[in-house]
């Protein structure tokens, strides 16, 4: 698929700016910014990191998404007069009026963002983004950046798991807009489901903004809106080459319906006339895109017979019908039965087009049902997934956080009674160590000023959460994960299209060892600290304990 046009990119950027203005944040960001300003600390240098604490869906990995939106947000970050007027009304009356003039002049020209590339496989507790700049500004960015990354990464990871459960052969259609948490949730889900591995979306706006391929035909309401063949209008259809007079499609289809019923030993009296009328009407409107839902009444007694009759009539006129959709019952068994009938028609009537008809399965499909479906014999070519994909029912939040790791050039560390909530201090570099087979096996966090690890050279490190445990490893290859993405008010890397990010996702997942991609009970992936960084963590913990003892003694 081609990259979005300039016009599409502009539309996408406007959409992001409209949805994520600088006031889309928590009020306490402004109260903290004011307190920094009041204390004269608003220009102090500060560094924050964005990360999540646990891999989602009981898996071993996540995917990093939302970076492009973050960069667009940073590039255009500023407060309007209208914003400032509103902030005056919600901040305490004692707020110094000069603070609002300060806000009016703020932008991100002093902010630098380093990040893992969007679409990269990432793991718990490693920093995905580093945001550095004046303290008041980078504090104000927190909620917006978390909002842009949290759900995008979660739904992208969910989509990747559906793709792993489905396997590479079948196509996946995202169709969750009507079940999503509001318009923005639906739009974000469509975009990042595609990036995570889905092939198509039913969301037309996602097609416009992000270039995601769009698909869809008819719902049950269309079928049930018809009651008799008298409602079909027009009744005729020209051949695909338009080399004959228009043909009465109803009469032609009735002839085929009799032959199909005879072939299958079906009872014509059980066929629903309204359903046949709906199929005919739709076929006349879209003879090259005929793919009806066939379970409005009975698949075997009516829907499949009506489809075959109309599809055979279309083939006689030179058109190629697309296939059928199943939306209820035992999808596996029904798909096998449907495929058997299609093959029988192909052989008996010598219609080769019936060999390439597709079967779409849609019926509240979850990751678990997808896994179960793939353990059974089935003939489904496309799975349509909605609710369980876009709402991430297995885990509704990724839980990304944004924590201070350096202020005034000195490392900062949150030391909590809950070890999982402690942070890793200091500005860092992030390296991915790769084994001789090309699989990543460990991500190493180092202080930014450390020399990078070298391929073929042993190093000692400390797995996160492993206490004082030391590990010796020798990488065959070292990849630097963190790149500068934004500085001096400018995006420093090209913004990638959805299709380009989708390719990055697949490349990153392809390199990951299968044991880390298992949907059930995967092997844990190791994230570790360098010796120098581990020493810093230990020293800061010890210093914090000593200070606490001094305070208590006094």
């Amino acid at each position: 698929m081609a990259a979005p046009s300039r016009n599409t990119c502009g539309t996408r950027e406007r959409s992001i700016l409209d949805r994520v203005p600088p006031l889309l944040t928590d009020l306490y960001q402004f109260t903290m910014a004011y307190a920094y300003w009041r204390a004269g600390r608003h220009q102090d240098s500060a560094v924050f990191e964005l990360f999540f604490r646990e891999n989602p869906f009981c898996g071993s990995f996540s995917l990093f998404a939302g970076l492009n939106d973050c960069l667009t947000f940073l590039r255009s970050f500023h407060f309007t007069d209208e914003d400032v007027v509103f902030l005056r009304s919600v901040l305490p009356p004692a707020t110094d009026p000069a603070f609002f003039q300060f806000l009016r002049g703020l932008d991100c020209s002093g902010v630098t963002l380093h990040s893992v590339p969007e679409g990269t496989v990432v793991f718990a507790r490693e920093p995905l983004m580093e945001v550095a700049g004046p303290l008041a500004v980078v504090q104000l960015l927190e909620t917006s950046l978390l909002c842009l990354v949290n759900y995008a990464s979660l739904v992208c990871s969910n989509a990747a798991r559906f793709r792993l459960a489905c396997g590479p052969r079948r196509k996946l259609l995202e169709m969750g807009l009507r079940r999503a948490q509001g318009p923005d949730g639906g739009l974000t889900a469509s975009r990042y489901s595609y990036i995570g591995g889905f092939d198509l979306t039913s969301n037309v706006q996602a097609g416009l903004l992000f270039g995601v391929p769009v698909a869809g035909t008819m719902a049950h309401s269309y079928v049930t809106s018809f009651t008799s063949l008298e409602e079909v209008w027009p009744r005729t259809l020209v051949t695909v080459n338009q080399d004959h007079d228009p043909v009465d499609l109803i009469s032609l289809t009735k002839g085929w319906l009799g032959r199909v019923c005879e072939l299958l030993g079906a009872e014509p009296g059980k066929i629903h006339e309204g359903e046949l009328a709906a199929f005919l009407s739709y076929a006349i409107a879209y003879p090259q895109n005929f793919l009806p839902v066939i379970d409005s009444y009975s698949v075997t007694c009516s829907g499949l017979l009506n489809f075959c009759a109309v599809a055979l009539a279309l083939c006689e006129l030179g058109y190629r019908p697309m296939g059928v959709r199943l939306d209820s019952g035992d999808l596996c068994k029904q798909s096998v039965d449907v495929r058997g009938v299609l093959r029988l028609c192909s052989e008996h009537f010598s219609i080769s087009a019936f060999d390439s008809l597709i079967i779409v399965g849609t019926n509240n499909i979850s990751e678990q049902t997808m896994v179960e479906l793939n353990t059974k014999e089935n003939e489904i070519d496309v799975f349509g997934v909605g609710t369980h994909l876009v709402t991430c029912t297995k885990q509704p939040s990724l839980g990304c956080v944004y924590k201070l790791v350096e202020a005034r050039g000195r490392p900062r560390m949150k030391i909590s009674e809950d070890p999982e909530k402690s942070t890793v201090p200091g500005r860092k570099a992030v390296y991915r160590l790769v084994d001789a087979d090309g699989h990543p096996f460990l991500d190493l966090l180092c202080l930014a000023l450390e020399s990078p690890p070298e391929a073929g050279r042993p190093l000692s490190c400390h797995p996160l959460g492993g206490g004082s445990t030391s590990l010796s490893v020798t990488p065959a290859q070292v990849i630097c994960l963190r790149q500068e993405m934004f500085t001096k008010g400018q995006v420093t890397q090209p913004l990638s299209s959805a299709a380009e990010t989708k390719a990055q996702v697949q490349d990153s997942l392809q390199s990951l060892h299968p044991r880390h991609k298992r949907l059930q009970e995967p092997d844990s992936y190791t994230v570790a600290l360098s010796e120098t960084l581990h020493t810093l963590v230990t020293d800061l913990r010890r210093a914090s304990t000593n200070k606490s003892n001094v305070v208590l003694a006094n």
Side-chain angles (χ1 to χ4, degrees):
M1 187 187 72
S5 66
R6 289 180 181 269
N7 183 58
T8 300
C9 290
T11 304
R12 177 183 66 194
E13 183 165 332
R14 288 194 302 274
S15 169
I16 295 163
L17 298 179
D18 289 342
R19 292 182 290 120
V20 194
L23 290 192
L24 188 70
T25 188
D26 297 307
L27 183 62
Y28 80 167
Q29 307 294 3
F30 290 102
T31 61
M32 285 189 288
Y34 176 70
Y36 289 141
W37 178 85
R38 187 74 171 152
R41 299 187 58 204
H42 56 289
Q43 294 290 357
D44 287 359
S45 64
V47 181
F48 285 80
E49 286 181 346
L50 186 151
F51 61 95
F52 59 91
R53 294 189 174 105
E54 294 184 3
N55 294 312
F57 310 114
C58 299
S60 180
F61 71 90
S62 181
L63 290 165
F64 174 49
L67 174 63
N68 281 1
D69 289 354
C70 291
L71 298 175
T72 300
F73 170 73
L74 294 180
R75 185 167 57 189
S76 303
F77 181 86
H78 73 282
F79 295 99
T80 65
D81 288 335
E82 183 181 5
D83 295 336
V84 171
V85 168
F86 181 75
L87 286 170
R88 282 180 182 270
S89 72
V90 296
L91 286 172
T95 304
D96 189 330
F99 174 66
F100 298 105
Q101 288 302 113
F102 164 70
L103 288 180
R104 188 67 181 87
L106 275 187
D107 60 23
C108 286
S109 57
V111 173
T112 299
L113 184 145
H114 289 80
S115 173
V116 172
E118 184 157 23
T120 301
V121 169
V122 290
F123 307 95
R125 299 189 67 190
E126 67 182 357
L128 310 181
M129 289 170 40
E130 176 197 88
V131 186
L135 179 56
V137 179
V138 291
Q139 182 71 70
L140 286 169
L141 299 175
E142 175 182 4
T143 303
S144 301
L145 295 179
L146 287 171
C147 182
L148 288 168
V149 170
N150 254 313
Y151 180 61
S153 298
L154 183 72
V155 76
C156 189
S157 304
N158 200 23
R161 291 178 64 87
F162 269 95
R163 169 49 70 193
L164 290 171
C166 176
R169 183 179 69 82
R170 298 178 175 88
K171 287 191 174 182
L172 288 172
L173 164 66
E174 178 273 319
M175 46 189 294
L177 179 58
R178 65 187 62 192
R179 304 288 173 80
Q181 285 93 340
D184 187 64
L187 191 60
T188 303
S190 297
R191 178 183 182 183
Y192 289 103
S193 295
Y194 174 68
I195 287 172
F198 274 59
D199 303 282
L200 307 157
T201 182
S202 65
N203 188 340
V204 179
Q205 184 74 352
L208 168 67
L209 292 177
F210 312 121
V212 181
V214 179
T217 54
M218 69 169 69
H220 293 100
S221 57
Y222 182 84
V223 177
T224 57
S225 73
F226 289 83
T227 58
S228 75
L229 293 175
E230 294 177 1
E231 298 171 57
V232 178
W233 186 262
R235 298 171 57 93
T236 60
L237 185 65
V238 297
T239 62
V240 71
N241 297 321
Q242 301 185 9
D243 53 0
H244 289 86
D245 292 335
V247 175
D248 185 327
L249 189 63
I250 296 178
S251 297
L252 182 62
T253 298
K254 283 183 175 180
W256 277 111
L257 184 58
R259 297 169 69 182
V260 169
C261 288
E262 182 180 354
L263 173 65
L264 301 177
E267 299 180 38
K270 292 185 177 181
I271 292 172
H272 199 284
E273 183 177 335
E275 182 180 56
L276 179 59
F279 289 5
L280 281 164
S281 181
Y282 197 89
I284 290 169
Y286 291 108
Q288 297 280 32
N289 298 86
F290 182 56
L291 194 156
V293 57
I294 62 172
D295 67 325
S296 297
Y297 302 105
S298 168
V299 172
T300 55
C301 295
S302 182
L304 181 56
L305 303 174
N306 283 331
F307 167 78
C308 288
V310 176
L312 287 164
L314 288 174
C315 289
E316 184 174 338
L317 299 180
Y319 298 99
R320 294 185 68 88
M322 293 183 65
V324 300
R325 177 162 75 97
L326 299 168
D327 190 50
S328 61
D330 186 335
L331 296 181
C332 290
K333 182 179 185 306
Q334 287 189 98
S335 70
V336 171
D337 293 343
V338 168
R339 184 68 71 195
V341 169
L342 298 180
R343 286 173 177 153
L344 184 59
C345 288
S346 173
E347 296 169 3
H348 186 79
F349 300 119
S350 300
I351 305 291
S352 60
F354 265 51
D355 292 327
S356 58
L357 294 174
I358 65 172
I359 299 174
V360 181
T362 59
N363 185 17
N364 199 34
I365 294 172
S366 66
E367 178 189 305
Q368 184 57 39
T369 57
M370 181 79 76
V371 171
E372 292 171 359
L373 286 169
N374 269 341
T375 64
K376 303 176 183 178
E377 180 186 6
N378 74 81
E379 291 286 342
I380 298 172
D381 301 289
V382 180
F383 283 109
V385 188
T387 304
H388 294 288
L389 173 65
V390 305
T391 64
C392 299
T393 47
K394 284 183 65 176
Q395 181 177 324
S397 174
L398 180 57
C400 283
V401 293
Y402 184 87
K403 298 299 182 182
L404 182 71
V405 295
E406 182 182 285
R408 295 180 176 180
R410 297 179 65 83
R412 294 291 188 268
M413 180 180 181
K414 176 184 176 183
I415 300 175
S416 172
E417 292 180 356
D418 181 354
E420 289 297 316
K421 290 201 169 185
S422 297
T423 58
V424 180
R427 301 194 75 163
K428 304 176 192 67
V430 184
Y431 300 98
R432 180 153 291 172
L433 309 188
V434 181
D435 65 21
D437 294 324
H439 297 302
F441 67 92
L442 183 145
D443 284 6
L444 183 69
L445 311 187
C446 303
L447 288 173
L449 297 178
E450 288 187 67
S451 299
E454 298 178 19
R457 185 171 181 176
L459 61 90
S460 180
C461 58
H462 295 260
L464 267 172
S468 59
T469 302
S470 179
L471 185 67
S472 180
V473 296
T474 304
Q477 180 186 357
V478 177
I479 300 170
C480 180
L481 286 184
R482 180 169 283 178
Q483 301 175 12
E484 181 184 87
M485 300 291 183
F486 183 92
T487 190
K488 297 179 181 178
Q490 298 296 319
V491 177
T492 56
Q493 300 286 343
L495 296 179
S496 55
S497 68
E500 290 166 340
T501 309
K502 179 186 178 77
Q504 166 69 16
V505 164
Q506 293 308 310
D507 288 345
S508 191
L509 280 172
Q510 186 67 30
S511 68
L512 197 60
H513 195 283
R515 68 174 181 269
H516 299 306
K517 292 187 285 189
R518 287 199 300 262
L519 299 179
Q520 301 295 324
E521 300 181 354
D523 287 357
S524 296
Y525 185 92
T526 303
V527 177
L529 308 181
S530 68
E531 285 281 8
T532 303
L533 183 52
H534 180 261
T535 299
L536 174 63
V537 171
T538 302
D539 290 346
L540 288 178
R541 285 187 182 278
R542 185 181 299 116
S544 175
T545 301
N546 292 338
K547 285 181 181 179
S548 298
N549 291 336
V550 169
V551 170
L552 290 171
N554 291 337

